[in-house]
Every structure is written in structure tokens, then in C-alpha cells.
Amino acid sequence: MPETLESLLWCAALATWLMLLFRIMAEYLKPLSKRFGHLLELAFRPRAK
């Protein structure tokens, strides 16, 4: 039983760290994503003559 509890705690700790990591990555990548989307919009905008 203690081995099962220890494994469960390790999994919970790993899940917590992964959630924090992905949250931080998402915050840093959001501005980059907006810039990239804007560049794609400019590149593929129909040209009006």
C-alpha cells in the first residue's frame, strides 16, 4: 500500500509541474502567436488593384 501511495504522489507532483510548465509556455508563446498570425494575414491578403 505505501508503494501505491508513493507512486500516486509522484504522479500528482509530476502533473502539477507539467501544468505549471505548460501555463508558462502558453503565456510566453501567446504574443508570438499573435505576431505570426498577423504576418500570415498580411502575406495571404487578397491584393486589390
Side-chain angles (χ1 to χ4, degrees):
M1 181 67 180
E3 294 172 2
T4 305
L5 183 60
E6 185 179 352
S7 296
L8 184 64
L9 288 174
W10 274 109
C11 288
L14 179 61
T16 303
W17 281 108
L18 285 175
M19 285 190 293
L20 286 171
L21 177 67
F22 286 135
R23 172 71 182 189
I24 292 169
M25 285 174 52
E27 288 297 319
Y28 281 115
L29 292 178
K30 195 182 299 181
L32 183 63
S33 174
K34 286 182 182 177
R35 283 191 215 131
F36 188 68
H38 183 67
L39 287 174
L40 283 177
E41 181 183 325
L42 288 175
F44 293 108
R45 183 173 33 190
R47 311 273 179 197
K49 288 188 177 183

